[in-house]
Amino acid sequence: MLRELHTFIAVTRYGTFSAAGQRIGLTQSAVSAQIRLLEQHLGMLLFDRSGRAAVLNANGQRVLPLAQEIMTLFGRMRQPATVSEYRGTIRIGAISTTQTGLLPQVLLRLQRQAPDLETQIIPGVSFNLLNQVEAGNIDLAVVIKPDFVLTKDLYSEPLLREPFVLVTPLGMKGEDPLALLRAAPFIRYDRTSFGGRMVSQFLRRERLTPKIALEIDEIDAIVRMVEHNLGVALVPLAGQWRERAERVRVVPLGESLTFYRELIVVMRYSWRQSPLHQLITGFLRAAATEAQTG
């Protein structure tokens, strides 16, 4: 029944059988079948079937907190007595710059502490990774802090604040970042991403309408385009491109203009006390502190 309880909780979270199925990787008919099976085992209906939305009836409202408690208890049952005894797979979501930044040293420390644990890195953009954590498809993720409040099912901790800078081709003259943004072609950080939305807010705040040369979501690729004289870009001071920063010109925005993206580690609230989650979070904090001071 654990699978059916997981699906039941997903339906209550996402509002419809179809939406829940999309989040947990099932067809709508499979979700319906699992809910029917759960209702048969319990001997009661859980949803009001009168509308399109999946609305809990009185039975469903009583069962939901019990189902959540069962899933939390089962998760605790699977945890060994010590971290060194952990086996199986831990799934960590990570945006691209974290994969080449904080994660390598975190994974090395984790390997030493839990040698029999297999780590699976799930790449993605912040919004998608948040959804996967909420759905229980990955165990935790390092993402950009969104500009909206996380759901009550998610727990997060801050890790690192990364300033945005202007990068230009080496031969480009001028020190005023606003003047450079007005004059040069602009390589835009994808405006649908969390970091790209910060760039959009900055441009609106400074009343800038640069000429867009192209738009990309990958920060290292953006800087690579700048290297090849395709334009200028606003990017966070993060990622692998810093190792070859001598190939572009980095123009600080200055105290009055600088804006930041904040990296957070996020997990389901019920997992925050897990020894393994606490261990990984501690490693992430240590790596972030080293990156900040280094």
Side-chain angles (χ1 to χ4, degrees):
M1 280 294 100
L2 290 173
R3 181 180 60 177
E4 287 74 17
L5 289 175
H6 175 69
T7 300
F8 168 64
I9 293 169
V11 172
T12 64
R13 180 176 299 125
Y14 300 115
T16 67
F17 287 13
S18 175
Q22 290 175 4
R23 296 299 182 94
I24 62 176
L26 294 175
T27 64
Q28 181 175 342
S29 60
V31 171
S32 299
Q34 289 190 19
I35 296 300
R36 281 196 304 271
L37 183 60
L38 178 62
E39 291 176 329
Q40 289 171 9
H41 276 276
L42 295 176
M44 64 183 74
L45 296 177
L46 300 174
F47 292 96
D48 178 1
R49 293 325 204 258
S50 60
R52 294 183 61 185
V55 179
L56 290 174
N57 60 22
N59 292 329
Q61 292 173 5
R62 182 182 63 83
V63 167
L64 177 59
L66 298 174
Q68 293 170 329
E69 184 177 351
I70 289 170
M71 296 303 293
T72 299
L73 287 172
F74 180 73
R76 289 170 57 187
M77 287 171 60
R78 297 167 59 191
Q79 297 171 6
T82 64
V83 170
S84 61
E85 296 176 359
Y86 268 90
R87 286 166 175 79
T89 303
I90 182 79
R91 296 156 301 177
I92 301 176
I95 58 175
S96 59
T97 53
T98 304
Q99 294 171 42
T100 56
L102 297 181
L103 273 188
Q105 55 184 302
V106 169
L107 297 179
L108 179 60
R109 292 168 179 169
L110 181 60
Q111 187 180 67
R112 290 170 177 168
Q113 195 78 14
D116 294 323
L117 183 70
E118 179 183 339
T119 305
Q120 182 179 2
I121 303 301
I122 312 297
V125 297
S126 295
F127 183 75
N128 292 340
L129 292 174
L130 284 174
N131 286 337
Q132 291 196 62
V133 172
E134 189 173 8
N137 296 330
I138 57 179
D139 297 284
L140 73 163
V142 181
V143 299
I144 302 170
K145 183 179 179 180
D147 53 4
F148 53 80
V149 177
L150 297 178
T151 68
K152 63 181 181 180
D153 295 321
L154 295 179
Y155 170 81
S156 69
E157 289 190 23
L159 293 174
L160 190 62
R161 292 179 79 233
E162 298 170 330
F164 276 76
V165 295
L166 180 69
V167 289
T168 80
L170 281 175
M172 186 171 288
K173 305 296 184 182
E175 300 298 329
D176 181 350
L178 298 184
L180 290 167
L181 284 165
R182 291 189 183 98
F186 186 56
I187 303 171
R188 185 163 188 149
Y189 190 174
D190 180 9
R191 70 194 78 193
T192 63
S193 67
F194 291 165
R197 277 146 63 168
M198 294 177 192
V199 170
S200 296
Q201 291 168 5
F202 172 82
L203 295 176
R204 285 196 299 270
R205 187 186 75 196
E206 300 303 323
R207 299 181 180 180
L208 295 171
T209 54
K211 180 182 177 182
I212 308 298
L214 63 154
E215 185 168 345
I216 324 175
D217 183 48
E218 176 60 54
I219 293 172
D220 291 326
I222 292 174
V223 178
R224 186 70 172 160
M225 299 298 177
V226 173
E227 286 181 29
H228 284 78
N229 295 297
L230 290 172
V232 303
L234 288 165
V235 293
L237 196 58
Q240 209 167 17
W241 72 267
R242 291 184 301 169
E243 298 176 5
R244 58 177 194 278
E246 72 280 355
R247 301 182 184 180
V248 295
R249 194 163 66 100
V250 179
V251 181
L253 297 179
E255 186 175 346
S256 63
L257 294 177
T258 300
F259 60 107
Y260 300 80
R261 74 171 190 179
E262 184 174 351
L263 293 185
I264 60 173
V265 55
V266 62
M267 64 198 73
R268 288 190 58 78
Y269 194 83
S270 58
W271 295 346
R272 74 193 187 285
Q273 298 296 342
S274 156
L276 184 57
H277 284 69
Q278 290 185 337
L279 180 71
I280 295 172
T281 301
F283 288 159
L284 284 166
R285 284 197 299 265
T289 299
E290 292 168 11
Q292 196 84 62
T293 57

